[in-house]
Amino acid sequence: MVHKIIFIVFDGLGDRPIPQLNNLTPLESANTPNLDAMAAVGINGLIHTIERSIRPGSDVSHLSLFGYDPRKYYRGRGPFEAAGVGMQLNEGDIAFRGNVATIDDKGIIIDRRAGRIDSVEGLAQSINNLKIDDVTVNAKAGIGHRIAVVLHGGDLSDEITDTDPHHLESKILISTPLGENPKSVKTAKIVNKLTKKANDIFSHHQVNKKRKYDKLPEANCLLLRGAGKMTHFPSFKEKYDFNACCIAGGGLYKGIAKIIGMTVLKVSGATGKTNTSAKNKIRTLIDNLDKFDFFFIHFKGADTCSEDGDYIGKKQYIEKVDQELSPIVKLVYRNQAICVVTGDHSTSCRLKSHTADEVPLLVAGADVRVDDVSKMGERSAQRGGLGHIDGRHLMRFIDNIVGKEPLYGN
Ligand code: ZN
């Protein structure tokens, strides 16, 4: 029985026909010999990660693909972003994702990315371990202008509004409680005090003295959004008895993996962008083949291209990744691994946003009932033997293939 599972997620893989691509989707028009080779020895179908006709975000759709029903486990994006930059979270902590932005003398936001600042590490350190009433603030820099903030202690709630207005030429918003729960009232007050203190500390920080001198936009304002309470997640190992690892560049995906107990492997050149090194990701998989039995490999670029409306870029990105997949095809053909390939949702290049359209799914390897599909694509997937499945049931389907699914009844 094969127990190595390679689980590849192309973010935003599915799409709609593009007139300029002869009414094919970017995946259909891409030259993908390796994906097609696996489709040919696999079972194919379509998946909706949450429910039919629901447009999923990347965070909830990944939870669902791993069998964690987001309706039960999802409490906002903050905890995943914080875990993704390496922060330690305890149950009950409230986490946010944030930007360090630029405000003018009147407190109006004039640059949401503080002039595309390279790093906010020094600024994050300046508010790390800050005490506000009985709450400790922890902060850590993400990529560029991004920052993750965690509030520890003090019986807090995530039922509060963002301070980030999500657009320019507006003042920082005052966080308000959603409802009258005293925990929410308290948390909103803490967040507003933190915003004031952080902006004061940032304004006087060495980093900004230098930026002012260099005539760059000052990184003088903290914007918070996506409050989420860290809850208990049963580990992936507990749920499926797989020793799992994650090979990804994007912080969110590493954060989700970390929170459910996967080992996050370091990959040089994994950027979470279209310039990521697909080669290094696959090499990391091969180098660690003996150490784990479940490999979650995430590729973000297809989604990024779609959100820019770049259907040619999406097609080329899929081709670039496909070129590196031949070691996986060999493992599949030698019955040494089962390979699952899908997306977390569709992203339309024409609409430049996520859609509720189903995503192609292939499962290839030993003990899989092979169908007649020999190309990975939206249209061909409709003819596959898997039909149409719910994302929450995918792990159960995999468990069944490898003989782990427990017997129901007698
Ligand atoms: Zn996504």
Side-chain angles (χ1 to χ4, degrees), residues 9-13 56-59 61-62 252-253 298 300 303 307 343-345 347 354:
V9 179
F10 282 81
D11 213 287
L13 178 65
S58 293
D59 43 15
S61 55
H62 276 80
L252 169 66
Y253 313 97
H298 183 264
K300 179 70 182 167
D303 184 59
E307 295 203 331
D344 55 341
H345 49 78
T347 310
H354 295 192

Side-chain angles (χ1 to χ4, degrees), residues 291-406:
K291 296 184 194 134
F292 300 94
D293 43 30
F294 187 101
F295 301 81
F296 160 46
I297 312 179
H298 183 264
F299 292 103
K300 179 70 182 167
D303 184 59
T304 313
C305 292
S306 312
E307 295 203 331
D308 289 341
D310 181 7
Y311 51 85
I312 300 282
K314 184 171 183 176
K315 169 180 179 279
Q316 289 171 340
Y317 179 83
I318 294 167
E319 289 176 342
K320 169 182 132 168
V321 175
D322 182 84
Q323 275 178 12
E324 305 300 336
L325 299 182
S326 52
I328 298 178
V329 176
K330 278 186 196 144
L331 291 171
V332 168
Y333 273 69
R334 290 179 192 148
N335 290 339
Q336 290 169 329
I338 306 244
C339 184
V340 180
V341 185
T342 191
D344 55 341
H345 49 78
S346 293
T347 310
S348 161
C349 285
R350 292 182 75 186
L351 300 176
K352 300 183 183 176
S353 68
H354 295 192
T355 65
D357 302 340
E358 297 80 2
V359 191
L361 162 70
L362 78 78
V363 183
D367 286 326
V368 172
R369 284 185 180 172
V370 179
D371 59 23
D372 293 331
V373 174
S374 56
K375 161 124 188 80
M376 189 171 196
E378 287 83 345
R379 252 164 278 220
S380 49
Q382 290 175 21
R383 302 193 308 271
L386 261 178
H388 196 132
I389 79 166
D390 184 315
R392 290 169 294 186
H393 301 155
L394 178 58
M395 281 306 302
R396 205 188 285 170
F397 177 78
I398 295 166
D399 260 356
N400 175 56
I401 290 174
V402 297
K404 284 188 173 190
E405 183 62 15

Side-chain angles (χ1 to χ4, degrees), residues 4-250:
K4 298 280 179 202
I5 311 289
I6 301 167
F7 192 102
I8 300 175
V9 179
F10 282 81
D11 213 287
L13 178 65
D15 210 318
R16 295 179 179 179
I18 309 277
Q20 294 88 334
L21 296 176
N22 292 325
N23 280 321
L24 298 174
T25 68
L27 173 62
E28 286 170 345
S29 71
N31 180 27
T32 53
N34 286 316
L35 288 173
D36 298 347
M38 290 196 278
V41 295
I43 189 162
N44 298 264
L46 289 166
I47 188 164
H48 54 268
T49 41
I50 310 292
E51 263 180 39
R52 277 186 129 161
S53 302
I54 286 192
R55 285 176 60 221
S58 293
D59 43 15
V60 290
S61 55
H62 276 80
L63 284 179
S64 196
L65 286 173
F66 295 134
Y68 294 81
D69 190 336
R71 288 195 170 81
K72 181 171 175 195
Y73 291 102
Y74 185 68
R75 298 291 299 263
R77 185 153 168 165
F80 306 117
E81 293 282 346
V85 295
M87 295 179 83
Q88 197 57 46
L89 290 146
N90 300 320
E91 227 175 305
D93 286 349
I94 307 295
F96 303 82
R97 58 200 295 231
N99 281 17
V100 179
T102 307
I103 46 170
D104 67 11
D105 297 345
K106 291 175 190 133
I108 307 288
I109 299 161
I110 52 170
D111 191 330
R112 287 180 46 79
R113 295 168 177 161
R116 289 195 176 265
I117 189 168
D118 287 340
S119 167
V120 294
E121 208 175 324
L123 298 168
Q125 275 169 14
S126 71
I127 58 166
N128 191 36
N129 291 323
L130 202 67
K131 293 259 189 289
I132 299 180
D133 301 340
D134 59 344
V135 171
T136 304
V137 178
N138 283 134
K140 196 162 178 193
I143 296 166
H145 58 282
R146 296 178 186 88
I147 187 168
V149 171
V150 176
L151 307 180
H152 296 284
D155 213 7
L156 303 169
S157 165
D158 55 4
E159 291 176 347
I160 57 164
T161 60
D162 296 346
T163 65
D164 185 349
H166 298 266
H167 54 80
L168 292 174
E169 290 169 18
S170 167
K171 286 196 170 186
I172 306 165
L173 300 178
I174 304 290
S175 180
T176 52
L178 296 166
E180 288 166 11
N181 180 347
K183 290 182 190 178
S184 308
V185 173
K186 175 181 172 179
T187 312
K189 269 188 194 157
I190 298 277
V191 166
N192 293 325
K193 281 187 187 176
L194 165 63
T195 302
K196 234 175 147 198
K197 272 201 175 182
N199 293 2
D200 188 42
I201 293 169
F202 290 174
S203 301
H204 296 96
H205 198 281
Q206 201 60 31
V207 164
N208 280 320
K209 283 184 186 150
K210 180 153 187 341
R211 288 183 75 78
K212 213 170 176 178
Y213 181 79
D214 293 338
K215 297 197 167 26
L216 292 168
E218 285 179 56
N220 56 3
C221 153
L222 176 67
L223 299 176
L224 297 175
R225 64 189 189 276
K229 191 174 205 163
M230 181 64 185
T231 49
H232 173 71
F233 284 80
S235 74
F236 198 74
K237 171 91 179 152
E238 259 172 74
K239 264 171 96 77
Y240 306 111
D241 196 28
F242 282 125
N243 191 13
C245 68
C246 160
I247 298 172

